[in-house]
Amino acid sequence: DGVTTAGLAARVLGDSHALDDGRPLSTVVLKGLWHRGGGPDLGDLPSGVRRRTLWATVGVASDMLSSTVLVLGLGGGAGSTLSDATLQAHADAGEPLRLTLSQLTHHPPRLADMAATDVFACENPAIVAAASQRLGVGCAPLVCVEGQPSAAAQMLLRQLADAGARVAYHGDFDWAGLRIAQLALDRFGARPWRLGRADYLAAPAGPALEGCPTDASWDPALPAAMVHRGVAVHEEQVVDDLLADLA
């Protein structure tokens, strides 16, 4: 969790540049990650942001500053680190905050007050924006992974899990969203939040469902319902229900 490509290469391969973009081993590893995630066979890998996203699936960041995680209402409590103070100041103001992987690594929040506390996690920053505007300081602790969780997001979720927080995860009802949800449940012990078959069927229809189906261990009947209905449901379509839980 949270290692950089240069740090991983130096530790495992003895060459901090061995996993740079364009190097043979980097290409082999990225193709493996692409295939594992259900991507089709392809000659050239995606570049830029999509390469960084592939690395993020296994908790690796391109650097310590570009990997961030968005939070709202996550106070630092009695902790005394820089991250604690920054978290508490923003929570007191009801303002969203971006924490970098560097902050979480060099100034890890203590999160001592988070044991047995409900922390909600969502996939899309639009939910954080709506919660900030409509709930402000009254919003429950909220973490946004912004699609495939970055190394920073994975590190914060690990820190919350280690502190004993009860993380509840919601994401889009599409195949990528289900894979992200499964990662949150498997890797960080999260529980599903309004993410079952009944929730999906009760939600307004979104765009046509595309991509390769995947399983949902928390509700095995959900994927079949999605295939039968044939539409995705994005978080923004159920924002009122989510905000009701966060209030």
Side-chain angles (χ1 to χ4, degrees), residues 31-122:
K31 284 188 175 182
L33 295 177
W34 177 266
H35 180 73
R36 190 186 70 164
D41 292 335
L42 73 172
D44 295 327
L45 281 164
S47 60
V49 172
R50 294 181 70 185
R51 281 179 179 262
R52 292 194 290 273
T53 299
L54 283 173
W55 278 120
T57 64
V58 287
V60 178
S62 58
D63 62 77
M64 299 290 280
L65 298 179
S66 63
S67 182
T68 65
V69 57
L70 179 64
V71 303
L72 175 66
L74 186 64
S80 58
T81 71
L82 174 63
S83 294
D84 288 320
T86 305
L87 284 166
Q88 192 62 53
H90 283 74
D92 290 343
E95 283 292 327
L97 167 68
R98 283 192 181 279
L99 289 168
T100 66
L101 180 61
S102 178
Q103 287 172 286
L104 293 169
T105 301
H106 299 132
H107 309 280
R110 302 299 183 201
L111 302 173
D113 296 338
M114 300 307 295
T117 298
D118 290 322
V119 176
F120 295 86
C122 64

Coordinates of all heavy atoms in Angstrom, one line a residue, residues 31-122:
K31 N 0.6 -5.1 -18.6 CA -0.2 -6.0 -19.4 C -0.9 -7.1 -18.5 O -2.0 -7.4 -18.7 CB 0.5 -6.6 -20.5 CG 0.8 -5.7 -21.7 CD 1.4 -6.4 -22.9 CE 1.6 -5.4 -24.1 NZ 2.1 -6.1 -25.3
G32 N -0.1 -7.6 -17.5 CA -0.7 -8.5 -16.6 C -1.8 -7.9 -15.8 O -2.9 -8.6 -15.6
L33 N -1.7 -6.7 -15.3 CA -2.7 -6.0 -14.5 C -3.9 -5.8 -15.4 O -5.1 -5.9 -15.0 CB -2.2 -4.7 -13.9 CG -1.0 -4.9 -12.9 CD1 -0.5 -3.5 -12.5 CD2 -1.5 -5.7 -11.7
W34 N -3.7 -5.3 -16.6 CA -4.8 -5.1 -17.6 C -5.6 -6.3 -17.8 O -6.8 -6.3 -17.8 CB -4.2 -4.5 -18.9 CG -5.2 -4.3 -20.0 CD1 -5.5 -5.1 -21.0 CD2 -5.9 -3.1 -20.2 NE1 -6.5 -4.5 -21.8 CE2 -6.7 -3.3 -21.3 CE3 -6.0 -1.9 -19.5 CZ2 -7.6 -2.3 -21.8 CZ3 -6.9 -0.9 -20.0 CH2 -7.6 -1.1 -21.1
H35 N -4.9 -7.5 -18.0 CA -5.6 -8.7 -18.3 C -6.3 -9.2 -17.0 O -7.5 -9.7 -17.1 CB -4.6 -9.8 -18.7 CG -5.2 -11.1 -19.0 ND1 -5.9 -11.4 -20.1 CD2 -5.1 -12.3 -18.3 CE1 -6.3 -12.6 -20.1 NE2 -5.9 -13.2 -19.0
R36 N -5.7 -9.0 -15.9 CA -6.4 -9.5 -14.6 C -7.7 -8.7 -14.4 O -8.6 -9.2 -13.8 CB -5.4 -9.3 -13.4 CG -5.9 -9.9 -12.2 CD -5.1 -9.6 -11.0 NE -5.2 -8.2 -10.6 CZ -4.8 -7.7 -9.4 NH1 -4.2 -8.5 -8.6 NH2 -4.9 -6.4 -9.1
G37 N -7.7 -7.4 -14.8 CA -8.8 -6.6 -14.6 C -9.9 -6.8 -15.6 O -10.9 -6.1 -15.6
G38 N -9.7 -7.7 -16.6 CA -10.8 -8.0 -17.6 C -10.6 -7.3 -18.9 O -11.5 -7.3 -19.7
G39 N -9.5 -6.6 -19.0 CA -9.2 -5.9 -20.3 C -9.0 -6.8 -21.4 O -8.4 -7.9 -21.2
P40 N -9.3 -6.5 -22.7 CA -9.1 -7.3 -23.8 C -7.6 -7.4 -24.1 O -6.8 -6.5 -23.7 CB -9.8 -6.6 -24.9 CG -9.8 -5.2 -24.5 CD -9.9 -5.2 -23.0
D41 N -7.2 -8.4 -24.9 CA -5.8 -8.5 -25.3 C -5.5 -7.3 -26.2 O -6.4 -6.9 -27.1 CB -5.6 -9.8 -26.1 CG -5.6 -11.0 -25.2 OD1 -5.4 -10.8 -24.0 OD2 -5.9 -12.1 -25.7
L42 N -4.4 -6.7 -26.1 CA -4.0 -5.5 -26.9 C -2.5 -5.4 -27.1 O -1.8 -5.9 -26.3 CB -4.6 -4.2 -26.3 CG -3.9 -3.7 -25.0 CD1 -4.5 -2.3 -24.7 CD2 -4.1 -4.6 -23.8
G43 N -2.1 -4.8 -28.2 CA -0.7 -4.6 -28.4 C -0.1 -3.5 -27.6 O 0.8 -3.8 -26.8
D44 N -0.6 -2.3 -27.7 CA -0.1 -1.2 -27.0 C -0.9 -0.9 -25.8 O -2.2 -0.9 -25.9 CB 0.0 0.1 -27.9 CG 1.0 -0.1 -29.0 OD1 2.0 -0.8 -28.8 OD2 0.7 0.4 -30.1
L45 N -0.3 -0.6 -24.7 CA -1.0 -0.3 -23.4 C -1.5 1.1 -23.5 O -0.9 2.0 -24.1 CB -0.1 -0.5 -22.2 CG 0.1 -2.0 -21.8 CD1 1.3 -2.0 -20.9 CD2 -1.2 -2.4 -21.1
P46 N -2.6 1.4 -22.7 CA -3.0 2.8 -22.6 C -1.9 3.6 -21.9 O -1.0 3.0 -21.2 CB -4.2 2.7 -21.6 CG -4.7 1.3 -21.8 CD -3.5 0.5 -22.0
S47 N -1.9 4.9 -22.1 CA -0.8 5.7 -21.6 C -1.3 6.7 -20.5 O -2.5 6.8 -20.3 CB -0.1 6.5 -22.7 OG -1.0 7.3 -23.4
G48 N -0.4 7.4 -19.9 CA -0.8 8.5 -19.0 C -1.6 8.0 -17.8 O -1.3 7.2 -17.1
V49 N -2.8 8.7 -17.7 CA -3.7 8.4 -16.6 C -4.1 7.0 -16.5 O -4.1 6.4 -15.3 CB -4.9 9.3 -16.7 CG1 -6.0 9.0 -15.6 CG2 -4.6 10.8 -16.6
R50 N -4.3 6.3 -17.6 CA -4.8 4.9 -17.5 C -3.6 4.0 -17.0 O -3.9 3.0 -16.4 CB -5.3 4.5 -18.8 CG -6.6 5.2 -19.2 CD -7.2 4.8 -20.5 NE -7.8 3.5 -20.4 CZ -8.2 2.8 -21.5 NH1 -8.2 3.4 -22.7 NH2 -8.7 1.6 -21.3
R51 N -2.4 4.3 -17.4 CA -1.3 3.5 -16.8 C -1.2 3.7 -15.3 O -1.0 2.7 -14.6 CB 0.0 4.0 -17.4 CG 0.3 3.5 -18.8 CD 1.6 4.0 -19.4 NE 1.9 3.4 -20.7 CZ 2.7 2.4 -20.9 NH1 3.3 1.8 -19.9 NH2 2.9 2.0 -22.2
R52 N -1.4 4.9 -14.8 CA -1.3 5.2 -13.4 C -2.5 4.5 -12.7 O -2.3 4.0 -11.6 CB -1.4 6.7 -13.1 CG -0.1 7.4 -13.6 CD 0.0 8.8 -13.0 NE -1.0 9.7 -13.6 CZ -0.8 10.4 -14.7 NH1 0.3 10.3 -15.4 NH2 -1.8 11.2 -15.2
T53 N -3.6 4.4 -13.4 CA -4.8 3.7 -12.8 C -4.5 2.2 -12.7 O -4.9 1.6 -11.7 CB -6.0 3.9 -13.7 OG1 -6.3 5.3 -13.7 CG2 -7.2 3.2 -13.1
L54 N -3.8 1.6 -13.6 CA -3.5 0.2 -13.5 C -2.5 0.0 -12.4 O -2.7 -1.0 -11.6 CB -2.8 -0.3 -14.8 CG -3.7 -0.5 -16.0 CD1 -2.9 -0.8 -17.3 CD2 -4.7 -1.7 -15.7
W55 N -1.5 0.8 -12.2 CA -0.6 0.7 -11.0 C -1.4 0.8 -9.7 O -1.2 0.1 -8.8 CB 0.5 1.7 -11.1 CG 1.6 1.4 -12.0 CD1 2.1 2.1 -13.1 CD2 2.5 0.3 -11.9 NE1 3.2 1.5 -13.6 CE2 3.5 0.3 -12.9 CE3 2.6 -0.8 -11.0 CZ2 4.5 -0.6 -13.1 CZ3 3.6 -1.8 -11.2 CH2 4.5 -1.6 -12.2
A56 N -2.4 1.7 -9.7 CA -3.2 2.0 -8.5 C -4.0 0.7 -8.1 O -4.3 0.6 -6.9 CB -4.1 3.2 -8.7
T57 N -4.3 -0.2 -9.0 CA -5.1 -1.3 -8.6 C -4.3 -2.2 -7.6 O -4.9 -3.0 -6.9 CB -5.5 -2.2 -9.9 OG1 -4.3 -2.7 -10.5 CG2 -6.3 -1.4 -10.8
V58 N -3.0 -2.1 -7.6 CA -2.2 -2.9 -6.7 C -1.5 -2.0 -5.7 O -0.5 -2.3 -5.1 CB -1.2 -3.8 -7.4 CG1 -1.9 -4.9 -8.0 CG2 -0.4 -3.0 -8.4
G59 N -2.0 -0.7 -5.5 CA -1.5 0.1 -4.5 C -0.2 0.8 -4.8 O 0.6 1.1 -3.8
V60 N 0.2 0.9 -6.0 CA 1.4 1.5 -6.4 C 1.2 2.9 -7.1 O 0.3 3.0 -7.9 CB 2.2 0.6 -7.4 CG1 3.5 1.3 -7.9 CG2 2.5 -0.7 -6.8
A61 N 1.9 3.9 -6.7 CA 1.7 5.3 -7.2 C 2.9 5.7 -8.1 O 4.0 5.2 -7.9 CB 1.6 6.2 -6.0
S62 N 2.6 6.6 -9.0 CA 3.7 7.1 -9.8 C 4.7 7.9 -9.0 O 5.9 8.0 -9.3 CB 3.2 7.8 -11.0 OG 2.3 8.9 -10.6
D63 N 4.1 8.7 -8.1 CA 4.9 9.5 -7.2 C 4.1 9.8 -5.9 O 2.9 9.5 -5.8 CB 5.4 10.8 -7.8 CG 4.2 11.7 -8.2 OD1 3.7 12.3 -7.4 OD2 3.9 11.7 -9.4
M64 N 4.7 10.5 -4.9 CA 4.1 10.7 -3.6 C 3.1 11.9 -3.6 O 2.3 12.0 -2.7 CB 5.1 10.9 -2.6 CG 6.1 9.7 -2.4 SD 5.3 8.3 -1.6 CE 5.3 8.9 0.1
L65 N 3.1 12.7 -4.7 CA 2.3 13.9 -4.6 C 1.1 13.9 -5.6 O 0.1 14.5 -5.3 CB 3.2 15.1 -5.0 CG 4.4 15.4 -4.1 CD1 5.2 16.6 -4.5 CD2 3.9 15.7 -2.6
S66 N 1.2 13.1 -6.7 CA 0.1 13.1 -7.6 C -1.0 12.2 -7.1 O -2.2 12.3 -7.6 CB 0.5 12.7 -9.0 OG 1.1 11.4 -9.0
S67 N -0.7 11.2 -6.3 CA -1.7 10.3 -5.7 C -2.4 11.0 -4.5 O -1.8 11.3 -3.5 CB -1.1 9.0 -5.3 OG -2.1 8.1 -4.8
T68 N -3.7 11.2 -4.6 CA -4.5 11.9 -3.6 C -5.7 11.1 -3.2 O -6.2 10.3 -4.0 CB -4.8 13.3 -4.0 OG1 -5.7 13.3 -5.1 CG2 -3.6 14.1 -4.4
V69 N -6.3 11.5 -2.1 CA -7.6 11.0 -1.7 C -8.5 12.1 -1.2 O -8.0 13.0 -0.5 CB -7.5 9.9 -0.7 CG1 -6.8 10.4 0.6 CG2 -8.9 9.3 -0.3
L70 N -9.8 12.1 -1.6 CA -10.7 13.2 -1.2 C -11.5 12.8 0.0 O -12.1 11.7 0.0 CB -11.6 13.5 -2.4 CG -12.7 14.6 -2.3 CD1 -12.0 15.9 -2.1 CD2 -13.6 14.6 -3.6
V71 N -11.6 13.7 1.0 CA -12.4 13.3 2.2 C -13.3 14.5 2.6 O -13.0 15.7 2.2 CB -11.5 13.0 3.4 CG1 -10.6 11.8 3.0 CG2 -10.6 14.1 3.8
L72 N -14.3 14.2 3.4 CA -15.1 15.2 4.0 C -15.6 14.8 5.4 O -16.0 13.6 5.5 CB -16.4 15.5 3.1 CG -17.4 16.4 3.7 CD1 -16.9 17.9 3.8 CD2 -18.7 16.4 2.8
G73 N -15.5 15.6 6.4 CA -16.0 15.3 7.7 C -15.1 14.3 8.5 O -15.6 13.7 9.5
L74 N -13.9 14.0 8.0 CA -13.1 13.0 8.7 C -12.1 13.8 9.6 O -11.0 14.2 9.2 CB -12.3 12.2 7.6 CG -11.5 11.1 8.1 CD1 -12.3 10.0 8.8 CD2 -10.6 10.5 7.0
G75 N -12.5 14.0 10.8 CA -11.7 14.8 11.8 C -10.5 14.0 12.3 O -10.5 12.8 12.3
G76 N -9.5 14.8 12.7 CA -8.3 14.2 13.2 C -8.4 13.9 14.7 O -7.5 13.2 15.3
G77 N -9.5 14.3 15.4 CA -9.6 14.0 16.8 C -8.5 14.5 17.6 O -8.0 15.6 17.5
A78 N -8.0 13.6 18.5 CA -7.0 13.9 19.5 C -5.6 13.7 18.9 O -4.6 13.9 19.6 CB -7.2 13.1 20.7
G79 N -5.5 13.3 17.6 CA -4.2 13.1 17.0 C -3.4 14.4 16.9 O -4.0 15.5 16.9
S80 N -2.1 14.3 16.8 CA -1.2 15.5 16.8 C -0.3 15.6 15.6 O 0.5 16.5 15.5 CB -0.3 15.4 18.1 OG 0.5 14.2 18.1
T81 N -0.6 14.8 14.6 CA 0.2 14.9 13.4 C -0.3 16.0 12.5 O -1.4 16.5 12.7 CB 0.2 13.5 12.6 OG1 -1.1 13.4 12.0 CG2 0.5 12.4 13.5
L82 N 0.5 16.3 11.5 CA 0.1 17.3 10.5 C -1.2 16.9 9.8 O -2.1 17.7 9.6 CB 1.2 17.5 9.4 CG 0.8 18.5 8.3 CD1 0.6 19.9 8.8 CD2 2.0 18.4 7.2
S83 N -1.4 15.6 9.4 CA -2.6 15.2 8.8 C -3.8 15.3 9.8 O -4.9 15.7 9.3 CB -2.4 13.7 8.4 OG -1.5 13.6 7.3
D84 N -3.6 15.0 11.0 CA -4.7 15.1 12.0 C -5.2 16.6 12.1 O -6.4 16.8 12.0 CB -4.2 14.7 13.4 CG -4.0 13.2 13.5 OD1 -4.8 12.4 13.0 OD2 -3.0 12.8 14.2
A85 N -4.2 17.5 12.2 CA -4.6 18.9 12.3 C -5.3 19.4 11.0 O -6.3 20.1 11.1 CB -3.4 19.7 12.5
T86 N -4.8 18.9 9.9 CA -5.4 19.3 8.6 C -6.8 18.7 8.5 O -7.8 19.4 8.1 CB -4.5 18.9 7.4 OG1 -3.2 19.4 7.6 CG2 -5.1 19.4 6.1
L87 N -7.0 17.5 8.8 CA -8.3 16.8 8.8 C -9.3 17.5 9.7 O -10.4 17.8 9.3 CB -8.2 15.4 9.1 CG -7.6 14.4 8.1 CD1 -7.2 13.1 8.8 CD2 -8.6 14.2 7.0
Q88 N -8.8 17.8 10.9 CA -9.8 18.4 11.9 C -10.2 19.9 11.4 O -11.4 20.2 11.6 CB -9.1 18.5 13.3 CG -10.1 18.8 14.4 CD -11.2 17.8 14.5 OE1 -10.9 16.6 14.6 NE2 -12.5 18.2 14.4
A89 N -9.3 20.6 10.9 CA -9.6 22.0 10.5 C -10.6 22.0 9.4 O -11.6 22.8 9.4 CB -8.3 22.7 10.0
H90 N -10.5 21.1 8.4 CA -11.4 21.0 7.3 C -12.8 20.4 7.8 O -13.8 20.9 7.3 CB -10.8 20.2 6.2 CG -9.8 20.9 5.4 ND1 -8.5 21.2 5.8 CD2 -9.9 21.5 4.1 CE1 -7.9 21.9 4.9 NE2 -8.7 22.1 3.9
A91 N -12.7 19.5 8.7 CA -14.0 18.9 9.2 C -14.8 20.0 10.0 O -16.0 20.1 9.8 CB -13.7 17.7 10.1
D92 N -14.1 20.8 10.8 CA -14.7 21.9 11.5 C -15.3 22.9 10.6 O -16.3 23.5 11.0 CB -13.7 22.5 12.4 CG -13.3 21.7 13.6 OD1 -14.0 20.7 13.9 OD2 -12.2 22.0 14.2
A93 N -14.8 23.1 9.4 CA -15.3 24.0 8.5 C -16.3 23.4 7.5 O -16.9 24.1 6.7 CB -14.1 24.7 7.7
G94 N -16.5 22.1 7.5 CA -17.4 21.4 6.6 C -16.9 21.5 5.2 O -17.7 21.5 4.2
E95 N -15.5 21.5 5.0 CA -14.9 21.7 3.7 C -14.2 20.4 3.3 O -13.6 19.7 4.1 CB -13.9 22.8 3.6 CG -14.5 24.2 3.6 CD -15.2 24.4 2.3 OE1 -14.7 23.9 1.2 OE2 -16.2 25.2 2.2
P96 N -14.4 20.0 2.0 CA -13.6 18.8 1.5 C -12.1 19.0 1.5 O -11.7 20.2 1.5 CB -14.1 18.6 0.1 CG -15.4 19.4 0.0 CD -15.3 20.5 1.0
L97 N -11.4 18.0 1.6 CA -9.9 18.1 1.7 C -9.3 17.0 0.8 O -9.8 15.8 0.8 CB -9.5 17.9 3.1 CG -8.0 17.6 3.4 CD1 -7.2 18.9 3.1 CD2 -7.8 17.2 4.8
R98 N -8.2 17.3 0.1 CA -7.4 16.3 -0.6 C -6.1 16.1 0.2 O -5.4 17.0 0.5 CB -7.1 16.8 -2.0 CG -8.2 16.6 -3.0 CD -7.7 16.8 -4.4 NE -8.8 16.7 -5.3 CZ -9.3 15.5 -5.7 NH1 -8.8 14.4 -5.3 NH2 -10.4 15.5 -6.6
L99 N -5.9 14.8 0.5 CA -4.6 14.4 1.2 C -3.8 13.7 0.2 O -4.2 12.9 -0.6 CB -4.9 13.5 2.4 CG -5.6 14.1 3.6 CD1 -6.0 13.0 4.5 CD2 -4.6 15.0 4.3
T100 N -2.5 14.0 0.2 CA -1.6 13.3 -0.7 C -1.0 12.1 -0.1 O -1.0 11.9 1.1 CB -0.4 14.2 -1.1 OG1 0.4 14.5 0.1 CG2 -0.9 15.6 -1.7
L101 N -0.5 11.2 -0.9 CA 0.2 10.0 -0.4 C 1.3 10.4 0.5 O 1.6 9.7 1.5 CB 0.6 9.1 -1.6 CG 1.3 7.9 -1.3 CD1 0.5 6.9 -0.5 CD2 1.8 7.2 -2.6
S102 N 2.0 11.5 0.1 CA 3.1 11.9 0.9 C 2.7 12.3 2.3 O 3.3 11.9 3.3 CB 3.8 13.1 0.3 OG 4.9 13.6 1.1
Q103 N 1.6 13.0 2.5 CA 1.1 13.4 3.8 C 0.7 12.1 4.6 O 1.0 12.0 5.8 CB -0.2 14.3 3.7 CG 0.1 15.7 3.2 CD -1.1 16.4 2.9 OE1 -1.8 16.2 1.9 NE2 -1.5 17.3 3.8
L104 N 0.0 11.2 4.0 CA -0.4 10.0 4.7 C 0.8 9.1 5.1 O 0.7 8.4 6.1 CB -1.4 9.2 3.8 CG -2.7 9.9 3.5 CD1 -3.5 9.1 2.4 CD2 -3.5 9.9 4.8
T105 N 1.8 9.2 4.3 CA 3.0 8.4 4.6 C 3.9 9.0 5.6 O 4.3 8.3 6.6 CB 3.8 8.1 3.3 OG1 3.0 7.5 2.3 CG2 5.1 7.3 3.5
H106 N 4.2 10.3 5.5 CA 5.2 10.9 6.4 C 4.5 11.5 7.6 O 5.2 11.7 8.6 CB 5.9 12.1 5.6 CG 6.7 11.6 4.4 ND1 6.6 12.1 3.2 CD2 7.5 10.5 4.3 CE1 7.4 11.5 2.4 NE2 8.0 10.5 3.0
H107 N 3.2 11.8 7.6 CA 2.5 12.3 8.7 C 1.1 11.5 8.9 O 0.1 12.1 8.8 CB 2.2 13.8 8.5 CG 3.4 14.6 8.1 ND1 4.3 15.0 9.1 CD2 3.8 15.0 6.9 CE1 5.2 15.7 8.5 NE2 5.0 15.7 7.2
P108 N 1.2 10.2 9.1 CA 0.0 9.4 9.1 C -1.0 9.9 10.2 O -0.5 10.1 11.3 CB 0.5 8.0 9.4 CG 1.9 8.2 10.0 CD 2.4 9.4 9.4
P109 N -2.2 10.0 9.9 CA -3.2 10.4 10.9 C -3.3 9.3 12.0 O -3.3 8.1 11.7 CB -4.5 10.6 10.2 CG -4.3 9.7 8.9 CD -2.9 9.8 8.6
R110 N -3.5 9.7 13.2 CA -3.6 8.8 14.3 C -4.9 8.0 14.3 O -5.0 6.9 14.6 CB -3.4 9.5 15.7 CG -2.1 10.2 15.8 CD -0.9 9.3 15.7 NE 0.3 10.1 16.0 CZ 1.5 9.7 15.6 NH1 1.6 8.5 14.9 NH2 2.6 10.4 15.8
L111 N -6.0 8.8 14.0 CA -7.4 8.2 13.9 C -7.8 7.4 15.1 O -8.6 6.5 15.0 CB -7.4 7.3 12.6 CG -7.1 8.0 11.3 CD1 -7.0 7.0 10.2 CD2 -8.1 9.1 10.9
A112 N -7.2 7.8 16.2 CA -7.5 7.1 17.5 C -9.0 7.1 17.8 O -9.5 6.2 18.5 CB -6.7 7.6 18.6
D113 N -9.7 8.2 17.5 CA -11.1 8.4 17.8 C -12.0 7.7 16.8 O -13.2 7.8 17.0 CB -11.5 9.9 17.9 CG -10.7 10.6 18.9 OD1 -10.2 9.9 19.9 OD2 -10.6 11.8 18.8
M114 N -11.5 7.0 15.8 CA -12.3 6.4 14.8 C -12.7 5.0 15.1 O -13.5 4.4 14.3 CB -11.6 6.5 13.4 CG -11.3 7.9 13.0 SD -12.7 9.0 12.9 CE -13.7 8.2 11.7
A115 N -12.2 4.4 16.2 CA -12.6 3.0 16.5 C -14.1 2.9 16.7 O -14.7 3.7 17.3 CB -11.9 2.6 17.8
A116 N -14.7 1.9 16.0 CA -16.2 1.6 16.0 C -17.0 2.8 15.5 O -18.2 2.9 15.7 CB -16.6 1.3 17.5
T117 N -16.4 3.7 14.7 CA -17.1 4.8 14.1 C -17.5 4.4 12.7 O -16.7 3.8 11.9 CB -16.2 6.1 14.1 OG1 -16.0 6.5 15.4 CG2 -16.9 7.2 13.3
D118 N -18.7 4.8 12.2 CA -19.1 4.5 10.9 C -18.4 5.6 9.9 O -18.6 6.8 10.1 CB -20.6 4.6 10.7 CG -21.3 3.5 11.4 OD1 -20.8 2.3 11.3 OD2 -22.4 3.7 12.0
V119 N -17.7 5.1 8.9 CA -17.1 5.9 7.9 C -17.7 5.4 6.6 O -17.6 4.3 6.3 CB -15.6 5.8 7.9 CG1 -15.0 6.6 6.8 CG2 -15.0 6.3 9.2
F120 N -18.2 6.4 5.8 CA -18.8 6.0 4.5 C -17.7 6.3 3.4 O -16.9 7.2 3.5 CB -20.0 6.9 4.3 CG -21.1 6.5 5.2 CD1 -21.2 7.2 6.5 CD2 -22.1 5.6 4.9 CE1 -22.2 6.9 7.4 CE2 -23.1 5.3 5.8 CZ -23.2 5.9 7.0
A121 N -17.8 5.5 2.4 CA -16.9 5.6 1.2 C -17.7 5.6 0.0 O -18.6 4.8 -0.2 CB -15.8 4.6 1.2
C122 N -17.4 6.5 -1.0 CA -18.1 6.5 -2.2 C -17.2 6.5 -3.4 O -15.9 6.6 -3.2 CB -19.0 7.7 -2.3 SG -18.2 9.3 -2.3

